[in-house]
Amino acid sequence: MNKPTDQSEFETPKVTTGPLPASRKVYTHPKADPSIAVPRREIDLHPTANEPPVPVYDTSGPYSDPNVEINVEKGLPRTRTAWVKERGHVEEYEGREVKPEDNGGATGKYLAREFPIRNRPLKAVDFDPTSDRAGAAAPASAGNSSEQTRPPITQYEFAKAGIITKEMIYVAERENLGRQEALANAAETVAQGESFGAEIPEFITPEFVRDEIAKGRAIIPANINHPELEPQIIGRNFLVKINANIGNSAVTSSVEEEVEKMVWATRWGADNVMDLSTGRNIHNTREWIIRNSPVPIGTVPIYQALEKVDGIAENLTWEVYRDTLIEQCEQGVDYFTIHAGVRLAYIHLTANRVTGIVSRGGSIMAKWMLAHHKESFLYTHFEEICEIMRAYDVSFSLGDGLRPGSIADANDRAQFAELETLGELTKIAWAKGCQVMIEGPGHVPMHKIKVNMEKQLRECGEAPFYTLGPLTTDIAPGYDHITSGIGAAMIGWYGTAMLCYVTPKEHLGLPDRDDVKVGVITYRLAAHAADLAKGHPAAQVRDDALSRARFEFRWEDQFNLALDPETARDFHDQTLPKEAHKVAHFCSMCGPKFCSMKITAEVRDYAANMTDNEKKALNLEAEKGMAEMSEKYAEMGSELYLLEDGTKREAID
Amino acid sequence: MNKPTDQSEFETPKVTTGPLPASRKVYTHPKADPSIAVPRREIDLHPTANEPPVPVYDTSGPYSDPNVEINVEKGLPRTRTAWVKERGHVEEYEGREVKPEDNGGATGKYLAREFPIRNRPLKAVDFDPTSDRAGAAAPASAGNSSEQTRPPITQYEFAKAGIITKEMIYVAERENLGRQEALANAAETVAQGESFGAEIPEFITPEFVRDEIAKGRAIIPANINHPELEPQIIGRNFLVKINANIGNSAVTSSVEEEVEKMVWATRWGADNVMDLSTGRNIHNTREWIIRNSPVPIGTVPIYQALEKVDGIAENLTWEVYRDTLIEQCEQGVDYFTIHAGVRLAYIHLTANRVTGIVSRGGSIMAKWMLAHHKESFLYTHFEEICEIMRAYDVSFSLGDGLRPGSIADANDRAQFAELETLGELTKIAWAKGCQVMIEGPGHVPMHKIKVNMEKQLRECGEAPFYTLGPLTTDIAPGYDHITSGIGAAMIGWYGTAMLCYVTPKEHLGLPDRDDVKVGVITYRLAAHAADLAKGHPAAQVRDDALSRARFEFRWEDQFNLALDPETARDFHDQTLPKEAHKVAHFCSMCGPKFCSMKITAEVRDYAANMTDNEKKALNLEAEKGMAEMSEKYAEMGSELYLLEDGTKREAID
């Protein structure tokens, strides 16, 4: 089914660079460690606004910095290698040799070009990746406390040991976005949200970050072999994050497209990218992506493992899977989706579902278990998996292989049985020193969303929740970025830490460049709506700045402050294309004579000239008028007031 | 600012006709009155599905019926005239003469062609539209009870009198959608929603409809002069409805576009259409729209009144406004947005807002009140307005002229002061025999949405709520169908009866044909998500049918059951264009060897062959496995379990 690969597809990827409109890349230096440079974007406003630039979270990496020369042949600077090495307890080693099956057996002109530079990987000194016993030995050692006392490698281990890493300092600075100044400028509009138990502080300190990670409530996905990464934190007491999926498939797409998709997705606001490639050239494509990625990269290792056994699920073995984990750990994948909660005993629970098992990973493991009539090797070897992932600080994303694929299947026993198992596995992974997040549904009607969040927090000890949507109805294929955006905003409000995007092509085809952008923007706005509703102390700064621009007819500022300035400008120009209209004090909806915003400006002048006595007099008059109306109405003898004051009110209060 | 009008724009409008894919128009005949033919759409499934056709609510009118010959020069059949006449107490009369200012003074080649047929309007026999005293007389008569005993004209009056109209029988049949059969086929998947006090019965009877209307909890917008209408009910115990706005503006658009926009919007699911035209040719454009509209048409009469005084708000008078109401009542407008709750005393409350007054109607009235320093004539003449609207059964849509235009202004004192006044006015309108719904915001962050619904129900005696969005963030111009679709789904769930759509062009420009479709589909899916969450007894039938089709690779059925079959098919074909792929048992996401749905089919075979003992044994084994894991974990001496069972749980339970 692979399409014929054209040589041009293996040329050096061309990627999108340059700043967004009116935007500057600013680097700030945290007090706790001024050697660290933390990027953010600042949007400059028109001089007539007389307002400071609006700082926004920047996921786009060096690509949007005009002072950085991008060369995808070299990859991004490997800044973080020094941080990892200075902490110690790691060592460089030769690393696993790339095998033909890593690229699906592609050879000659069908083999994607290798990334030109080969870096020797790092690992924990106490881990031997070449020994099958490295992992297997772990359970035997469970009785002693050596694991608790061995030197820290992962962010979780450092946090538990009371040590603040540079990554923690970095994400604290990044989350604050100069919050202090921003709040000073907009003090009166700070949101008072409903946080459902989340505890977002006014300012994020490195110590707060450490404490949240130590509690397991947040993670910094950061493989020690992905030093190109700009660290980022995922947890419900931080800004809600989003993930974009990319990946070639057996049917279509190329290396070039995949690297550019990653750059493109992060340009529009993807905090994380998952590479869900299948088919040939998985290894080489992933190398290009990771070496050029400023954001954490996640994968589902079982996909590549399956390719190595020619797509025949029953031929999967622990050894093949383990080898794939090592391969990807060495490359620098930051988190793995692992469907270890799909157990043999749960499979029959899905038999009467409308849409059975819709997770690829879940169905692969189900098929394997049925074929062998054995418990999942992901479950039985879970501690060995922990040992491997701990040695590179790869975070768990415990997969929901039994998530519902339709409204009918939402919140059923199969889904929740798996979630309970994920809770058990979370605690094991923590005991092994690993960072953990938990994946969630899927397709869930609105009234069944909240219980998912509550149960996840309870079962999984408040480990971060990472949900796909959820889609709130099944009837709108082609618009599932929206059916799921609704559910995503809601579950983000309730406490989900990261939202996995859905594009308009969901259920129908593979997303192209435009679909990726629409998916990312939709999820950015959903995440932001969630931040607002949770009462994130600085979230409303951007809304207020944009609304002031709108009210004052600063069209350029309105476009520039938008999540998607290009589309906003394009839509405006479709109706009023002339440049002069960008400064006109009217818009296409009403025309020049008839503008509500213009009239409101006059209201302000009026109110400014009113005395307090005048205001009081007006209010009294209004009350009198209403009383007269009521009286007249009562004279008419209707019984409606009685109803209104009696039974009706009770029913709705 | 009017663009030069081209003669071609005044040619006979061309409209979109024909059924949607795999769909048939079916007419059913209610037991209560078999002479009535109620349309619905049935979607046929592939024979291999072995399922009955899926019935869906049909807003598209005769345009989608291949057996009806459409001639926009004649308009739709005037079926309902006989119903109105047979109830009595109405009379035909000559009607108001069309004046040049009704069309903004357009003459000659700038004047849009008149609709070719002129029908004499109907009115209540007890109403004299030519006398200024007709309305003014009302307050004087308030002391006596003649209004309570006069013969019924409006649906509200009939309902209060215990009389079931043909419109009530019609909407009961229409809402049921053959629910009995549908439920029989899908009994096990009937949703159990959270209705927040709504009381949706399993089957809708005409008596239930009458009772809901009599309580003021639902309306059937149906001007006696819009006999082309297919009646429809708006109330929170019925399917959630949506409204699409169309309208030419001073800057752009033509008659032809407007009629086709109405047909186009209803084709994709608009239950109601508001004609928000400004500029020239308002009267003639509206006549074409109403004569060809199967759905209720709403307007904001102050827009046309303002045109009659050359756009100068302070020149508005009660007389001009009253004349405009009569003009539109005679034409057949079904509901009027009237911003009578914007009172002089509330204006200064908006002065410190970020976005002041954003409603056009609200700002026009604010300007008038400031110029004259007088209470709004809409408020002081409210009873006269009721008298006029009652005589034609035009429903009130009490406008929220002070709705928030930004997140910062949500739920402020200005907004809620107006809502309280709307509550007072609701009771007066009911006492006068009128049907009433209430308009709501606007821009509201998620955590502030629910209180809007609760306060509206309480203040307005459960009159139907009709909200614009609300938009849950301000930062995504170009995507405000989505920022608002999130809020719309939520407030629909909480109890809003009708959702006013927002298109991608909101805040930026005028929606074109594609924007209207995207807006309608987005709001259809939001309304459906709300129906599902409320626990509407038949809503899930379509989700289940589509999910089964998806699971069984019936691609054609999946497209045909989608809200937008064309887009679903188009997206699929972009990746896998060949016809053969429409029956292929795989999709573009995974390719042929690697398909979760295929694997699930094998799971079913397995489960079907399992004995109960086998299942039990498996479950025991799973429990044992988990217990072992836990034990091993406990041995490691972690304190995490204690935390989990103690303080942490309490915090989130």
Side-chain angles (χ1 to χ4, degrees):
Chain A
M1 275 309 293
N2 284 2
K3 67 168 186 178
T5 308
D6 188 288
Q7 200 52 37
S8 66
E9 293 174 15
F10 297 145
E11 287 168 8
T12 304
K14 291 179 256 331
V15 297
T16 306
T17 57
L20 288 173
S23 296
R24 281 173 295 107
K25 177 83 78 177
V26 172
Y27 298 91
T28 63
H29 300 276
K31 277 186 196 146
D33 187 341
S35 75
I36 300 174
V38 180
R40 70 178 191 224
R41 176 159 73 100
E42 290 195 350
I43 304 171
D44 288 321
L45 304 181
H46 193 271
T48 57
N50 199 23
E51 290 183 27
V54 177
V56 299
Y57 197 97
D58 188 356
T59 58
S60 61
Y63 298 95
S64 57
D65 185 343
N67 301 318
V68 173
E69 197 188 339
I70 296 295
N71 182 345
V72 293
E73 298 275 323
K74 289 186 181 164
L76 298 179
R78 294 169 65 83
T79 312
R80 221 167 51 84
T81 298
W83 306 2
V84 172
K85 284 186 175 168
E86 81 183 14
R87 289 198 289 261
H89 320 303
V90 295
E91 61 187 8
E92 272 185 16
Y93 68 113
E94 201 43 52
R96 179 184 167 284
E97 209 172 329
V98 177
K99 304 171 190 172
E101 61 261 37
D102 299 351
N103 284 304
T107 53
K109 66 173 186 170
Y110 297 108
L111 179 63
R113 190 155 69 92
E114 275 180 38
F115 186 73
I117 302 164
R118 169 145 168 79
N119 304 291
R120 280 157 54 93
L122 291 169
K123 68 169 183 65
V125 291
D126 52 27
F127 178 73
D128 178 4
T130 63
S131 160
D132 263 1
R133 300 303 306 158
S141 72
N144 69 51
S145 61
S146 69
E147 283 167 25
Q148 268 66 46
T149 55
R150 60 188 180 182
I153 296 294
T154 70
Q155 298 292 327
Y156 181 77
E157 288 173 324
F158 281 108
K160 292 290 273 189
I163 298 166
I164 294 173
T165 63
K166 286 193 171 172
E167 286 85 348
M168 296 174 198
I169 295 169
Y170 189 104
V171 300
E173 179 78 4
R174 194 175 192 185
E175 289 277 322
N176 280 329
L177 283 174
R179 198 180 289 181
Q180 206 146 10
E181 309 111 68
L183 286 178
N185 287 317
E188 79 281 10
T189 62
V190 168
Q192 299 295 324
E194 161 59 59
S195 73
F196 299 107
E199 295 159 359
I200 306 170
E202 198 162 346
F203 303 103
I204 305 288
T205 63
E207 169 56 21
F208 180 78
V209 169
R210 188 205 59 75
D211 188 53
E212 288 288 297
I213 293 172
K215 284 174 174 156
R217 301 205 293 203
I219 66 171
I220 297 178
N223 187 322
I224 57 175
N225 290 315
H226 186 195
E228 300 88 352
L229 181 75
E230 295 177 351
Q232 166 227 158
I233 191 158
I234 300 170
R236 78 174 163 134
N237 291 325
F238 301 93
L239 289 160
V240 175
K241 304 301 185 295
I242 68 168
N243 174 76
N245 294 330
I246 61 173
N248 71 309
S249 94
V251 181
T252 176
S253 123
S254 73
V255 170
E256 181 172 10
E257 285 169 17
E258 299 312 315
V259 174
E260 167 59 3
K261 263 188 208 165
M262 178 276 293
V263 173
W264 184 246
T266 59
R267 180 174 183 82
W268 297 111
D271 297 284
N272 285 269
V273 165
M274 288 196 79
D275 174 12
L276 304 183
S277 295
T278 59
R280 292 176 179 175
N281 290 315
I282 291 183
H283 183 96
N284 285 5
T285 306
R286 187 168 53 225
E287 187 71 21
W288 282 95
I289 292 173
I290 296 174
R291 297 289 73 81
N292 285 290
S293 176
V295 303
I297 299 295
T299 63
V300 188
I302 200 85
Y303 293 178
Q304 189 181 11
L306 188 70
E307 293 293 334
K308 292 179 182 177
V309 294
D310 295 324
I312 300 164
E314 48 272 44
N315 290 355
L316 280 166
T317 62
W318 161 242
E319 288 68 30
V320 167
Y321 186 77
R322 183 184 183 286
D323 182 53
T324 305
L325 291 184
I326 299 286
E327 173 189 352
Q328 299 197 11
C329 285
E330 292 179 351
Q331 280 192 296
V333 174
D334 300 287
Y335 57 96
F336 290 154
T337 292
I338 297 187
H339 299 96
V342 183
R343 299 196 58 187
L344 182 59
Y346 304 155
I347 293 177
H348 70 91
L349 299 175
T350 67
N352 292 324
R353 280 180 159 187
V354 167
T355 47
I357 301 176
V358 294
S359 146
R360 280 193 274 181
S363 56
I364 291 162
M365 291 313 299
K367 175 133 192 182
W368 186 91
M369 286 186 273
L370 291 186
H372 298 277
H373 205 79
K374 274 165 78 173
E375 185 61 88
S376 157
F377 60 79
L378 300 178
Y379 184 80
T380 57
H381 288 266
F382 188 74
E383 296 185 19
E384 294 154 83
I385 295 171
C386 293
E387 285 296 312
I388 296 167
M389 290 170 68
R390 179 253 170 198
Y392 303 87
D393 197 5
V394 176
S395 299
F396 273 98
S397 185
L398 286 170
D400 56 335
L402 302 181
R403 68 170 174 268
S406 57
I407 292 296
D409 296 342
N411 294 15
D412 71 355
R413 186 62 206 136
Q415 183 195 336
F416 283 161
E418 181 186 30
L419 181 56
E420 289 155 19
T421 297
L422 297 185
E424 297 293 325
L425 298 176
T426 298
K427 285 137 211 168
I428 292 165
W430 282 341
K432 291 284 186 181
C434 296
Q435 302 191 86
V436 185
M437 60 182 170
I438 309 293
E439 296 185 9
H443 292 237
V444 186
M446 283 190 285
H447 65 293
K448 291 186 176 177
I449 291 176
K450 195 150 186 287
V451 74
N452 273 278
M453 188 71 231
E454 290 165 346
K455 188 172 173 71
Q456 188 273 339
L457 288 170
R458 194 168 55 237
E459 299 291 341
C460 303
E462 299 191 64
F465 205 20
Y466 165 33
T467 62
L468 179 74
L471 286 72
T472 53
T473 167
D474 303 338
I475 69 169
Y479 298 78
D480 279 332
H481 58 308
I482 307 180
T483 64
S484 69
I486 293 167
M490 290 174 73
I491 205 163
W493 174 26
Y494 299 152
T496 286
M498 183 155 75
L499 308 170
C500 182
Y501 90 163
V502 171
T503 77
K505 290 275 172 65
E506 182 76 13
H507 298 120
L508 298 169
L510 289 169
D512 62 20
R513 183 181 173 85
D514 290 339
D515 297 319
V516 166
K517 181 176 173 184
V518 169
V520 168
I521 299 285
T522 300
Y523 272 66
R524 271 266 69 93
L525 72 85
H528 185 76
D531 285 332
L532 281 175
K534 284 168 81 176
H536 191 283
Q540 203 179 307
V541 168
R542 190 171 180 177
D543 294 80
D544 292 353
L546 192 144
S547 290
R548 281 190 299 269
R550 185 173 279 159
F551 185 70
E552 293 166 12
F553 299 101
R554 285 183 276 115
W555 286 101
E556 295 287 344
D557 286 352
Q558 190 184 159
F559 304 151
N560 296 337
L561 287 163
L563 285 179
D564 180 357
E566 292 173 2
T567 297
R569 176 185 298 274
D570 177 49
F571 282 3
H572 177 269
D573 289 359
Q574 285 176 25
T575 309
L576 289 177
K578 290 187 200 127
E579 274 310 304
H581 286 137
K582 303 255 179 19
V583 290
H585 275 206
F586 64 92
C587 61
S588 57
M589 276 75 80
C590 308
K593 261 202 292 198
F594 190 66
C595 175
S596 60
M597 293 229 180
K598 196 171 159 194
I599 291 170
T600 304
E602 296 173 26
V603 169
R604 283 196 184 165
D605 293 340
Y606 161 74
N609 292 320
M610 271 174 91
T611 66
D612 283 351
N613 279 344
E614 282 174 313
K615 287 181 193 171
K616 260 187 219 158
L618 265 182
N619 282 330
L620 283 175
E621 213 179 288
E623 276 169 36
K624 192 165 143 261
M626 207 184 268
E628 276 168 15
M629 281 277 208
S630 303
E631 213 173 294
K632 205 175 280 174
Y633 169 77
E635 281 169 16
M636 297 186 225
S638 164
E639 80 282 20
L640 283 161
Y641 268 112
L642 295 175
L643 271 174
E644 169 62 9
D645 285 332
T647 48
K648 292 277 183 64
R649 284 209 185 224
E650 275 166 35
I652 56 173
D653 268 344
Chain B
M1 276 306 294
N2 282 2
K3 66 167 185 176
T5 310
D6 188 288
Q7 200 51 38
S8 66
E9 292 174 15
F10 297 145
E11 287 168 6
T12 303
K14 291 180 254 330
V15 297
T16 307
T17 58
L20 288 173
S23 296
R24 282 174 295 106
K25 177 84 77 176
V26 173
Y27 297 92
T28 63
H29 299 274
K31 278 186 196 148
D33 187 341
S35 76
I36 299 173
V38 180
R40 70 180 192 224
R41 176 157 75 98
E42 290 196 350
I43 304 170
D44 288 322
L45 304 182
H46 192 270
T48 56
N50 198 24
E51 290 183 27
V54 176
V56 299
Y57 196 95
D58 188 355
T59 57
S60 62
Y63 298 95
S64 58
D65 185 342
N67 300 319
V68 173
E69 198 188 339
I70 296 296
N71 182 345
V72 291
E73 299 274 324
K74 288 186 183 165
L76 298 178
R78 296 169 63 85
T79 311
R80 221 167 51 83
T81 299
W83 304 3
V84 172
K85 284 186 176 169
E86 82 183 13
R87 288 198 289 262
H89 320 303
V90 295
E91 60 187 9
E92 275 185 14
Y93 68 113
E94 201 43 51
R96 178 183 167 285
E97 208 171 330
V98 178
K99 304 171 190 172
E101 62 261 35
D102 299 352
N103 284 305
T107 52
K109 66 174 188 169
Y110 297 109
L111 178 65
R113 189 155 71 90
E114 275 180 37
F115 186 74
I117 302 164
R118 169 143 169 81
N119 304 290
R120 280 158 53 95
L122 290 170
K123 66 169 183 67
V125 291
D126 52 28
F127 178 73
D128 178 4
T130 62
S131 160
D132 262 0
R133 300 303 306 157
S141 71
N144 69 51
S145 62
S146 67
E147 283 167 24
Q148 268 66 45
T149 54
R150 59 188 179 182
I153 296 293
T154 71
Q155 298 291 326
Y156 180 76
E157 288 172 325
F158 281 108
K160 292 290 275 188
I163 297 166
I164 293 173
T165 63
K166 286 193 171 172
E167 286 85 348
M168 297 175 198
I169 295 169
Y170 189 104
V171 300
E173 179 78 4
R174 195 174 192 186
E175 289 277 321
N176 279 328
L177 283 174
R179 198 181 290 182
Q180 205 146 12
E181 309 111 67
L183 287 178
N185 286 319
E188 79 279 11
T189 62
V190 169
Q192 299 294 324
E194 161 60 56
S195 72
F196 299 105
E199 295 159 358
I200 306 169
E202 200 162 344
F203 303 104
I204 305 289
T205 63
E207 169 56 21
F208 180 79
V209 170
R210 187 205 60 74
D211 189 53
E212 288 287 299
I213 293 172
K215 283 173 175 155
R217 301 205 293 203
I219 66 171
I220 297 178
N223 186 322
I224 57 175
N225 289 314
H226 186 194
E228 300 88 352
L229 181 76
E230 294 177 350
Q232 167 226 158
I233 192 158
I234 299 170
R236 78 174 163 135
N237 291 325
F238 302 92
L239 289 160
V240 176
K241 303 302 186 293
I242 68 167
N243 174 76
N245 294 329
I246 60 172
N248 71 310
S249 94
V251 181
T252 178
S253 126
S254 73
V255 170
E256 180 171 10
E257 283 170 17
E258 299 312 315
V259 174
E260 166 60 4
K261 264 188 207 164
M262 178 275 294
V263 172
W264 183 246
T266 58
R267 180 174 182 82
W268 297 110
D271 296 284
N272 285 269
V273 166
M274 287 195 79
D275 174 11
L276 303 183
S277 295
T278 59
R280 293 178 181 175
N281 289 314
I282 292 183
H283 182 97
N284 284 5
T285 306
R286 188 169 53 226
E287 187 71 22
W288 281 96
I289 292 172
I290 296 174
R291 298 288 73 83
N292 285 289
S293 176
V295 302
I297 299 295
T299 63
V300 188
I302 201 85
Y303 292 179
Q304 189 180 9
L306 187 70
E307 294 293 334
K308 292 181 182 176
V309 294
D310 295 324
I312 300 164
E314 49 271 44
N315 290 354
L316 281 166
T317 62
W318 161 244
E319 287 68 30
V320 168
Y321 187 77
R322 183 184 183 284
D323 182 53
T324 305
L325 292 185
I326 299 286
E327 173 189 352
Q328 299 196 12
C329 284
E330 291 179 353
Q331 278 191 298
V333 173
D334 299 288
Y335 56 96
F336 290 153
T337 292
I338 297 187
H339 299 96
V342 183
R343 299 195 59 189
L344 183 59
Y346 303 155
I347 293 178
H348 70 91
L349 299 175
T350 67
N352 292 323
R353 281 180 158 188
V354 167
T355 47
I357 301 176
V358 295
S359 146
R360 279 193 274 180
S363 56
I364 292 163
M365 290 315 298
K367 174 133 191 182
W368 186 91
M369 285 185 273
L370 291 187
H372 298 276
H373 205 79
K374 274 164 80 172
E375 184 61 271
S376 157
F377 60 79
L378 299 178
Y379 183 80
T380 57
H381 289 266
F382 188 73
E383 294 185 20
E384 295 155 83
I385 296 170
C386 292
E387 284 297 311
I388 296 167
M389 290 169 68
R390 178 255 171 197
Y392 302 88
D393 198 5
V394 177
S395 298
F396 273 99
S397 185
L398 287 172
D400 57 335
L402 302 181
R403 69 170 172 268
S406 58
I407 292 296
D409 296 342
N411 293 16
D412 71 355
R413 186 60 208 138
Q415 183 195 335
F416 283 161
E418 181 186 31
L419 181 56
E420 288 156 19
T421 296
L422 297 186
E424 296 293 326
L425 298 176
T426 298
K427 284 137 211 169
I428 292 165
W430 281 342
K432 290 285 187 181
C434 296
Q435 303 191 87
V436 185
M437 60 182 169
I438 309 292
E439 296 186 9
H443 292 237
V444 186
M446 283 190 286
H447 65 293
K448 292 187 175 176
I449 291 177
K450 195 152 186 288
V451 73
N452 273 278
M453 188 71 232
E454 290 166 344
K455 187 173 172 71
Q456 188 275 338
L457 288 170
R458 194 169 55 238
E459 298 290 343
C460 303
E462 297 191 66
F465 205 21
Y466 165 33
T467 62
L468 178 74
L471 286 72
T472 54
T473 167
D474 304 336
I475 69 168
Y479 297 79
D480 279 330
H481 59 308
I482 306 179
T483 64
S484 70
I486 293 166
M490 291 174 73
I491 205 164
W493 174 26
Y494 298 151
T496 286
M498 182 154 77
L499 308 170
C500 181
Y501 89 163
V502 171
T503 77
K505 291 276 174 64
E506 182 76 13
H507 298 120
L508 298 169
L510 289 169
D512 62 19
R513 185 181 172 85
D514 289 340
D515 297 318
V516 167
K517 182 176 172 185
V518 169
V520 168
I521 299 285
T522 300
Y523 272 66
R524 271 267 69 93
L525 73 85
H528 186 76
D531 285 332
L532 282 175
K534 284 168 81 176
H536 191 284
Q540 203 178 307
V541 168
R542 189 170 181 179
D543 294 80
D544 292 353
L546 192 144
S547 290
R548 281 191 298 269
R550 186 172 278 159
F551 187 70
E552 292 165 13
F553 300 100
R554 286 183 274 114
W555 287 101
E556 295 286 346
D557 287 352
Q558 190 185 158
F559 304 151
N560 296 337
L561 287 163
L563 285 179
D564 180 357
E566 292 173 1
T567 298
R569 175 185 299 272
D570 177 49
F571 282 3
H572 178 269
D573 289 0
Q574 285 175 26
T575 311
L576 289 175
K578 288 187 200 127
E579 272 311 304
H581 286 137
K582 305 257 179 17
V583 291
H585 273 208
F586 65 91
C587 60
S588 56
M589 276 75 81
C590 308
K593 261 201 292 197
F594 189 66
C595 176
S596 59
M597 293 227 183
K598 195 171 162 195
I599 291 170
T600 304
E602 295 172 28
V603 169
R604 283 198 183 163
D605 293 342
Y606 161 75
N609 292 319
M610 271 174 92
T611 66
D612 284 351
N613 279 343
E614 282 174 313
K615 287 180 192 170
K616 259 186 218 158
L618 264 183
N619 282 330
L620 284 175
E621 213 178 288
E623 277 167 35
K624 193 166 144 260
M626 207 184 268
E628 276 169 16
M629 281 276 208
S630 302
E631 213 173 294
K632 204 177 285 175
Y633 170 77
E635 281 169 19
M636 296 184 223
S638 164
E639 77 284 18
L640 282 161
Y641 267 111
L642 296 174
L643 271 175
E644 169 61 9
D645 285 331
T647 48
K648 292 275 184 61
R649 283 208 185 223
E650 276 166 35
I652 56 174
D653 265 346

